[in-house]
Amino acid sequence: MSVIYLIRHGQANSTGEDYDLLTDKGKEQAFALGKYMASNGDFPDKIISGTMRRHKETAEFFMKGINSVNSDLKTGFDFHSFDANWNEFPSELWKKYAEHLSGTRPEFQRSLLQFSKVRLKGGVRSAALFFKLTEEILSVWRKGDFTPSGIETFKNFQSRVDLACETYFQPSNSERTFIFTSGTPISLTLKKMLKQDEDVFTWMPWIWNSSVSMFRWVRGRYIPVSLNFLPHIPDKSSRTLY
């Protein structure tokens, strides 16, 4: 009976210049998840990850956690594969839409200025402003009336995430498949798998770093067993959203 574990990457470097790498906390989260899974006998038969660095690093430290419990786990040549369809939209999208909206929406410009002042401090205020800005950016991106040069359209983004779902949410010879991706692909996947009528971005601000959404193959389809679960991080102060 095959199971798919859909996992968001560990905390990334949101206060630095390069978001696409894990913080020390993000590495600890991924390691803790691997250790937790192995301690419960849930060893991966196959790993799939996006091609972004934070996806690869999360899978890497997850496996270090696995190996801390069982260093003799045997893996084949195709044990870990990569699929760019699981990639998040690039950080340039956020920057270019923020620049565009700052020139057309005074309220957005004010919020962006406030965010720039508290961004490096982190905390609740920074997170609230980030998600407020992101919600507006993604709304404009999805509408599709304006797409900056060199930026992937939302239509294409949604199509490739749908393709990733169709490819991997199928019967498999692997009993346990672990997929490492990002918050927005997970949000779109949950909407699709749960057959929800809500906006495609409803889940996106609430997907915890290194969280697990588990799906089990039952009677010809994958059904959700647990969503956005953090069994390896019981301490709330150690949980992060970005």
Side-chain angles (χ1 to χ4, degrees), residues 72-199:
D72 297 324
L73 181 66
K74 298 188 186 320
T75 58
F77 73 94
D78 62 344
F79 173 72
H80 190 176
S81 59
F82 304 91
D83 189 339
N85 285 331
W86 286 113
N87 285 0
E88 182 64 278
F89 58 79
S91 58
E92 287 76 14
L93 183 150
W94 203 99
K95 295 175 183 176
K96 288 190 176 183
Y97 272 100
E99 181 180 348
H100 169 71
L101 292 174
S102 291
T104 58
R105 301 183 183 182
E107 179 60 34
F108 183 94
Q109 186 180 41
R110 285 192 289 272
S111 295
L112 184 63
L113 180 60
Q114 291 173 348
F115 177 62
S116 68
K117 293 178 180 178
V118 300
R119 172 174 168 264
L120 295 180
K121 297 179 182 179
V124 175
R125 176 62 175 163
S126 175
L129 284 168
F130 173 76
F131 287 122
K132 176 184 178 182
L133 293 166
T134 299
E135 183 179 40
E136 193 164 352
I137 285 170
L138 295 183
S139 176
V140 174
W141 180 45
R142 180 188 179 189
K143 191 174 180 182
D145 292 340
F146 168 77
T147 303
S149 175
I151 294 299
E152 179 181 29
T153 64
F154 172 74
K155 183 178 180 180
N156 185 75
F157 178 83
Q158 185 172 39
S159 293
R160 65 175 171 84
V161 173
D162 284 345
L163 178 59
C165 291
E166 293 165 7
T167 300
Y168 299 105
F169 281 78
Q170 295 290 337
S172 171
N173 293 328
S174 299
E175 183 177 350
R176 299 181 186 90
T177 299
F178 288 76
I179 300 175
F180 294 87
T181 180
S182 291
T184 314
I186 291 175
S187 184
L188 268 64
T189 299
L190 291 180
K191 180 182 185 302
K192 182 182 180 71
M193 299 301 293
L194 296 173
K195 298 180 174 25
Q196 291 179 311
D197 294 329
E198 285 86 352
D199 185 272

Side-chain angles (χ1 to χ4, degrees), residues 25 29 208 230 232-241:
K25 178 175 282 190
Q29 292 169 339
W208 296 106
L230 286 172
H232 56 299
I233 310 180
D235 181 7
K236 291 184 178 180
S237 65
S238 298
R239 300 175 183 177
T240 58
L241 286 169

Side-chain angles (χ1 to χ4, degrees), residues 51-90:
T51 61
M52 305 181 92
R53 180 173 174 178
R54 58 188 182 270
H55 302 156
K56 296 176 181 178
E57 286 188 339
T58 302
E60 175 190 348
F61 281 89
F62 169 83
M63 284 306 301
K64 288 182 178 181
I66 291 284
N67 291 329
S68 72
V69 176
N70 182 3
S71 59
D72 297 324
L73 181 66
K74 298 188 186 320
T75 58
F77 73 94
D78 62 344
F79 173 72
H80 190 176
S81 59
F82 304 91
D83 189 339
N85 285 331
W86 286 113
N87 285 0
E88 182 64 278
F89 58 79

Side-chain angles (χ1 to χ4, degrees), residues 200-217:
V200 294
F201 299 123
T202 297
W203 284 89
M204 192 276 296
W206 312 110
I207 304 296
W208 296 106
N209 290 121
S210 77
S211 65
V212 182
S213 294
M214 185 172 75
F215 301 84
R216 187 181 295 276
W217 183 259

